[in-house]
Amino acid sequence: RARLTTDETKAIELLKQSAALDAAATAPLIELSRVYTKTGDRPAAIEALEKVLALKPDTSIAHYRLASLYRAIGQHEKASSHMAAFQKLQ
């Protein structure tokens, strides 16, 4: 995992706060997953995207990004499942 810059650390904290303020909001979680992916924290990125899908199962970007993340860590069955869900939503 890459060492976080000060800006990345601040972004993560602010996005976590934003998500906590509105438990139904998915945008902060999607952005949080992007920052985690950029910094190499795939498990945290996956967790954020799974929370998005728990709130809104038809969020195509979450399925697409999860497909990519699961493929990157070798979980091909999960990757295929999320890619199929993404394609169905298109």
Side-chain angles (χ1 to χ4, degrees):
R1 202 161 87 161
R3 188 175 161 104
L4 300 180
T5 66
T6 303
D7 286 346
E8 290 165 342
T9 302
K10 285 180 186 175
I12 289 168
E13 287 310 310
L14 290 171
L15 288 164
K16 284 181 178 180
Q17 289 173 19
S18 180
L21 287 172
D22 184 355
T26 57
L29 294 170
I30 291 169
E31 185 61 17
L32 189 58
S33 76
R34 189 190 66 74
V35 175
Y36 280 135
T37 300
K38 180 180 177 226
T39 61
D41 191 346
R42 289 179 180 146
I46 289 169
E47 182 181 341
L49 291 169
E50 293 288 4
K51 287 180 183 176
V52 169
L53 293 181
L55 293 167
K56 295 183 183 173
D58 291 343
T59 307
S60 62
I61 187 82
H63 284 292
Y64 183 83
R65 290 185 180 173
L66 279 167
S68 176
L69 287 162
Y70 280 127
R71 188 177 322 109
I73 62 172
Q75 293 191 21
H76 300 291
E77 198 169 301
K78 285 184 178 182
S80 294
S81 173
H82 283 289
M83 185 53 71
F86 168 74
Q87 290 170 337
K88 185 178 178 183
L89 292 167
Q90 295 307 296

